[in-house]
């Protein structure tokens, strides 16, 4: 991937200060230079280990520290995961993301994780995992198993980060991203809007991401989902225009990355989502559940895609898949378990 220019905080903040129409025009212009504006990448996410996480991320219902009523589950069996992946594939998904609520995987988990990656790859789908921090060896083992993407978000600016998470440092997050990149796995990393951060913090997060040795291939921008029982449950609402500005700035600063409209779509109007797509978001998670929080139902997503003339983007996998994907284009994915969630990437 070609490296993007180095961004200063001042330059990033200047984007946020632009008149809204100018910012949108610039973002859409850059978007069209690098992507088909009618294509939206669609991924499916399965929670392979839910809840009881030892970390203290203040926004997260999966942290063991907050009483959110979430039932904790152990690591799913490989067969269960592969059955779910098969159903996702049959419904048209081309990327299968597996998420575990851990500080980091233990070495005894690795063989199962490797089998999951190998099994999903053997179906012809792209694979993505989010498992917390990784050691160099773990990153290399996952790469050898065939892992395509690893998600590890920076969440916010380095300055504000300590107000949200105290159990792992910003530097540890950057280190994990470096190990993932070093192992040859593509990077998915983004953040959350609505944590109580300032505009400078939003700009600071994007500067961190854009100035990585290689920017992430995928940049999820989440709107905080305020879950009862978490410390941020009473946070102020984010003005939708401010959220759209963050998407536009991400598009301008990381022109070749997929910018994913991720968590929080359930709370967004169709008009806000459409503005996010205009601002350069070109990926969503699709399905009725995003790990543990609600996501718009498939019918709503399909209806919105039709209204906007957007198409789900498919990746070539093998000859048989292409025909299958063509048949299924427009159908997207029918979530079949409470643990499926859909977002965009
Ligand atoms: S965001 Fe991830 S690491 Fe943080 S508490 Fe939730 S599951 Fe754990």
């Amino acid at each position: 991937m070609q490296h993007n220019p180095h961004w200063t905080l001042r330059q990033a903040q200047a984007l946020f200060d632009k008149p809204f129409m100018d910012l949108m025009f610039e973002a859409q212009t850059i978007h069209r230079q690098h992507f088909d504006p009618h294509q939206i990448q669609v991924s499916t996410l399965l929670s392979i280990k839910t809840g009881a996480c030892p970390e203290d991320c203040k926004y997260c219902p999966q942290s063991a520290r907050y009483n959110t009523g979430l039932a904790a589950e152990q690591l799913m069996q490989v067969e269960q995961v592969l059955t779910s992946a098969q159903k996702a594939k049959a419904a048209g998904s081309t990327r299968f993301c597996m998420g575990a609520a851990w500080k980091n995987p233990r070495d005894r988990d690795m063989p199962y994780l490797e089998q999951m990656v190998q099994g999903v790859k053997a179906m012809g789908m792209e694979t993505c995992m989010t498992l917390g921090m990784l050691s160099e060896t773990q990153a290399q083992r996952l790469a050898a198993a065939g892992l395509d993407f690893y998600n590890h978000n920076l969440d916010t600016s380095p300055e504000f980060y300590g107000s949200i998470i105290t159990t792992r440092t910003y530097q540890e997050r950057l280190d994990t991203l470096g190990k993932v990149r070093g192992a040859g796995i593509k990077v998915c990393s983004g953040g959350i809007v609505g944590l109580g951060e300032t505009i400078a913090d939003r700009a600071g997060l994007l500067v961190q991401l854009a100035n990585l040795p290689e920017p992430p291939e995928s940049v999820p921008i989440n709107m905080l989902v305020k879950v009862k029982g978490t410390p941020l449950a009473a946070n102020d609402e984010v003005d939708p225009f401010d959220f759209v500005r963050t998407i536009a700035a991400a598009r301008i600063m990381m022109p070749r990355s997929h910018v994913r409209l991720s968590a929080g779509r359930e709370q967004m109007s169709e008009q806000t989502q459409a503005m996010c797509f205009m601002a350069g978001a070109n990926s969503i998670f699709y399905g009725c559940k995003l790990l543990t929080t609600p996501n718009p139902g498939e019918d709503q997503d399909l209806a919105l895609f039709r209204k906007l003339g957007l198409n789900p983007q498919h990746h070539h996998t093998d000859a048989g898949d292409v025909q299958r994907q063509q048949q299924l284009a427009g159908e997207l994915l029918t979530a079949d378990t409470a643990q499926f969630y859909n977002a965009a990437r």
Side-chain angles (χ1 to χ4, degrees):
M1 180 181 283
Q2 203 180 328
H3 187 24
N4 291 352
H6 183 87
W7 283 86
T8 64
L9 185 59
R10 202 178 170 146
Q11 288 170 325
Q13 281 189 273
L15 292 176
F16 283 84
D17 290 340
K18 277 192 170 216
F20 187 77
M21 296 307 167
D22 294 348
L23 179 67
M24 291 294 275
F25 182 71
E26 185 176 342
Q28 178 66 201
T29 303
I30 288 177
H31 185 53
R32 283 170 185 255
Q33 287 164 4
H34 298 281
F35 292 100
D36 178 341
H38 306 107
Q39 296 289 317
I40 301 289
Q41 183 190 30
V42 178
S43 298
T44 303
L45 174 61
L46 176 70
S47 177
I48 60 171
K49 187 266 168 190
T50 303
C53 183
E55 301 295 278
D56 70 349
C57 312
K58 287 198 175 129
Y59 52 81
C60 183
Q62 301 209 65
S63 170
R65 296 164 193 246
Y66 316 130
N67 187 6
T68 58
L70 186 71
E73 292 167 14
Q74 306 225 311
L75 180 62
M76 232 184 222
Q77 291 187 348
V78 175
E79 280 309 307
Q80 278 180 286
V81 173
L82 297 186
T83 301
S84 295
Q86 195 66 61
K87 288 178 182 167
K89 183 187 174 185
S93 188
T94 54
R95 183 173 303 170
F96 196 66
C97 308
M98 294 160 267
W102 280 325
K103 185 178 187 71
N104 50 260
R106 297 160 302 186
D107 283 343
R108 68 170 192 248
D109 299 316
M110 289 304 295
Y112 303 107
L113 298 170
E114 288 166 318
Q115 286 170 36
M116 289 173 195
V117 172
Q118 286 160 350
V120 175
K121 281 292 275 188
M123 293 173 199
M125 279 194 283
E126 287 186 312
T127 51
C128 177
M129 280 186 158
T130 180
L131 313 167
M133 295 191 291
L134 291 183
S135 69
E136 211 168 286
T137 309
Q138 288 173 331
Q140 284 163 358
R141 285 181 65 169
L142 291 171
L147 188 67
D148 295 299
F149 288 85
Y150 193 80
N151 165 264
H152 198 58
N153 291 333
L154 292 180
D155 285 352
T156 188
S157 70
E159 294 76 19
F160 188 61
Y161 179 87
S163 310
I164 302 298
I165 299 127
T166 66
T167 48
R168 71 170 66 141
T169 66
Y170 210 81
Q171 188 56 50
E172 284 174 319
R173 291 193 183 235
L174 291 169
D175 290 347
T176 292
L177 293 183
K179 287 169 197 161
V180 167
R181 186 61 88 191
I185 300 169
K186 296 190 191 90
V187 170
C188 169
S189 186
I192 307 174
V193 177
L195 300 174
E197 76 284 346
T198 62
I199 303 292
D201 291 317
R202 290 174 198 160
L205 164 70
L206 297 181
V207 166
Q208 288 289 323
L209 293 168
N211 288 351
L212 286 171
E214 280 182 50
E217 280 79 2
S218 176
V219 180
I221 303 291
N222 300 278
M223 172 88 93
L224 175 69
V225 178
K226 296 189 276 185
V227 180
K228 203 170 160 207
T230 61
L232 304 186
N235 268 23
D236 290 339
E237 294 293 326
V238 174
D239 185 316
F241 290 113
D242 288 340
F243 186 79
V244 175
R245 278 180 191 281
T246 310
I247 297 270
R251 165 52 62 225
I252 293 166
M253 293 171 68
M254 290 168 277
R256 295 172 196 82
S257 304
H258 275 86
V259 175
R260 184 185 305 144
L261 180 54
S262 292
R265 282 201 305 127
E266 170 84 358
Q267 290 85 359
M268 285 177 210
S269 68
E270 287 190 337
Q271 290 80 1
T272 299
Q273 292 185 60
M275 274 197 293
C276 290
F277 295 136
M278 283 176 68
N282 59 347
S283 168
I284 62 162
F285 272 118
Y286 183 73
C288 62
K289 201 152 193 183
L290 197 60
L291 283 181
T292 63
T293 56
N295 207 37
E298 293 81 12
D299 290 352
Q300 278 171 263
D301 283 335
L302 286 178
L304 181 59
F305 276 24
R306 283 196 199 100
K307 282 185 204 177
L308 301 178
L310 296 173
N311 306 305
Q313 177 181 327
H314 293 303
H315 293 270
H316 179 84
T317 44
D318 62 45
D321 285 344
V322 172
Q323 194 184 5
R324 178 77 181 132
Q325 286 172 2
Q326 281 166 351
Q327 283 171 5
L328 292 165
E331 280 179 31
L332 292 178
L333 179 67
T334 302
D336 68 337
T337 80
Q339 286 175 310
F340 271 124
Y341 67 81
N342 283 340
R345 88 180 259 113

